[in-house]
């Protein structure tokens, strides 16, 4: 096939493996369908600073959230739109976060960003730096308790919690996995293959 370097590859019926691609594309379609439901669930909102490229900053080493907690990123401009309700930081999309973490390189550089962070603090938002992250999460039950090799995404639809679990190791993982679901909902294991 024709390679496009690190940006992907030409994907058409003329690939030598096109006839065998059905199972893979079915997997992608089923997983994408499930992960497009509802809204993302994350406990931590990470402010990564100004004039930084978030993709380049975390390309080689992901943000160091403790295992079992998910996070989203926020830039200086998006701080303008955040509000606090019942102690949670709320975005216009409806996504909510338990705390705002200022990355070590993400100290507010402008008066505007510093003012927004101060506004959120005054309104009752929990704000910490990376060194204080583990302590700030004390008392917040992990969203997923599982081995380090298992990564996760959690989405909620209001009446359902959807967890996508992905084993990043080269071997089978057998583990007792605990999920932080709402209201004693039943569990259905779904394999997209």
């Amino acid at each position: 096939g024709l390679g496009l370097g690190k940006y992907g590859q030409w994907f058409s019926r003329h690939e030598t493996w096109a006839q065998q691609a059905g199972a893979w594309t079915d997997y992608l379609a089923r997983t994408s369908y499930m992960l497009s439901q509802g809204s993302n669930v994350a406990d931590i909102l990470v402010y990564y600073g100004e004039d930084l490229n978030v993709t380049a900053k975390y390309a080689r080493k992901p943000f160091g959230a403790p295992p079992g907690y998910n996070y989203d990123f926020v830039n200086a401009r998006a701080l303008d739109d955040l509000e606090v309700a019942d102690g949670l930081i709320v975005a216009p999309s409806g996504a909510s976060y338990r705390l705002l973490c200022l990355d070590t390189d993400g100290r507010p550089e402008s008066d505007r960003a510093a003012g927004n962070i101060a506004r959120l603090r005054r309104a009752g938002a929990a704000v910490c730096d990376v060194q204080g992250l583990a302590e700030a999460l004390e008392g917040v039950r992990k969203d997923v308790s599982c081995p380090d090799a298992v990564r996760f995404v959690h989405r909620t639809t209001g009446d359902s919690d959807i967890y996508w679990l992905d084993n990043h190791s080269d071997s089978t993982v057998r583990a007792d996995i605990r999920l932080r679901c709402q209201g004693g909902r039943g569990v259905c294991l779904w394999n997209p293959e």
Side-chain angles (χ1 to χ4, degrees), residues 33-50:
Y33 171 75
M34 293 303 290
L35 292 176
S36 68
Q37 306 297 307
S39 355
N40 187 51
V41 176
D43 292 306
I44 307 163
L45 187 59
V46 179
Y47 173 66
Y48 63 89
E50 300 174 71

Side-chain angles (χ1 to χ4, degrees), residues 93-148:
S93 67
S96 62
Y97 307 89
R98 296 177 188 271
L99 64 100
L100 175 65
C101 180
L102 309 178
D103 194 347
T104 51
D105 296 334
R107 304 278 183 226
E109 297 156 4
S110 68
D111 291 341
R112 180 179 178 181
N116 275 319
I117 292 168
R119 173 182 59 83
L120 294 169
R121 273 193 171 119
R122 283 192 306 273
V127 180
C128 68
D129 60 15
V130 174
Q131 290 76 23
L133 183 56
E135 183 180 336
L137 287 169
E138 284 179 11
V140 176
R141 197 171 124 219
K142 288 183 177 185
D143 194 9
V144 175
S145 294
C146 61
D148 289 343

